[in-house]
Amino acid sequence: MSRIAVVPGSFDPITLGHLDVIERAAPLYDELHVVVVHNPDKAALLPIAQRVSLLESSVRDAGLGDNIVVASWSVGLLVDYCTDVGASVLIKGIRSQIDVAYETPMAIVNRDLADVETVFMLPNPAHAHVSSSLVRQVAALGGDVGPYVPPAVGRYLRSS
Ligand code: PNS
């Protein structure tokens, strides 16, 4: 039986912190699905299709991709996506206690709903301060987001 895991998120846009988690998780599973999910609690910068495209470029440019599937999901519960693709694990990057507090109830609900376990991974501390919301703000105010995002995202944000 193949081990399939899902890394879900808004990825609006993908940051170096996200990419670090994807890179660490990929060797642990046969298949890793990186899934863009609409989060109604957050004001979006990029359309979902653009986020998927930047994820694909970032994963490819980082030399990853052999066992990575990039997808989006907007039609129901995240665990329904997991069931559809045969995944039993969700992976979340944890930067701080704030992330633990935010993620814990979702992890419990996802286990209740469909027996999907959540694995928390610690990204490189060098990226602990990086978030998509910070990137969106720096980009909106004309700052250089280069240190926080994969090159494909930096190029896209500079040109848009
Ligand atoms: O990058 P984000 O915005 O922190 O990601 C949050 C996300 C999209 C992973 C979270 O909002 C989510 O899991 N949404 C799916 C909706 C769902 O299934 N909710 C019920 C169980 S938590």
Side-chain angles (χ1 to χ4, degrees):
M1 198 179 115
S2 62
R3 296 163 308 152
I4 304 174
V6 169
V7 183
S10 302
F11 298 110
D12 186 29
I14 178 176
T15 67
L16 291 180
H18 293 130
L19 194 59
D20 183 56
V21 169
I22 294 165
E23 193 162 5
R24 284 165 198 280
L28 304 179
Y29 295 91
D30 297 310
E31 235 178 72
L32 190 71
H33 290 238
V34 184
V35 182
V36 178
V37 183
H38 172 65
N39 184 344
D41 296 336
K42 294 181 179 172
L45 172 69
L46 304 176
I48 300 266
Q50 188 60 53
R51 297 183 223 171
V52 168
S53 163
L54 289 172
L55 263 169
E56 284 168 344
S57 312
S58 302
V59 164
R60 193 179 52 239
D61 293 349
L64 307 170
D66 281 357
N67 66 337
I68 295 178
V69 176
V70 178
S72 63
W73 182 251
S74 53
V75 294
L77 293 168
L78 178 59
V79 291
D80 292 339
Y81 178 90
C82 295
T83 305
D84 278 5
V85 301
S88 53
V89 173
L90 287 166
I91 295 180
K92 299 288 186 81
I94 295 294
R95 293 160 300 185
S96 67
Q97 290 301 321
I98 295 169
D99 282 349
V100 175
Y102 173 67
E103 296 293 348
T104 298
M106 291 196 281
I108 294 168
V109 168
N110 285 325
R111 198 172 56 203
D112 286 347
L113 286 169
D115 245 351
V116 172
E117 291 288 354
T118 299
V119 171
F120 290 156
M121 291 191 73
L122 301 179
N124 185 331
H127 305 307
H129 59 293
V130 178
S131 67
S132 297
S133 59
L134 180 141
V135 168
R136 291 196 296 275
Q137 192 174 107
V138 172
L141 298 174
D144 176 18
V145 296
Y148 312 124
V149 294
V153 176
R155 282 194 298 275
Y156 175 81
L157 290 177
R158 274 191 297 276
S159 70
S160 59

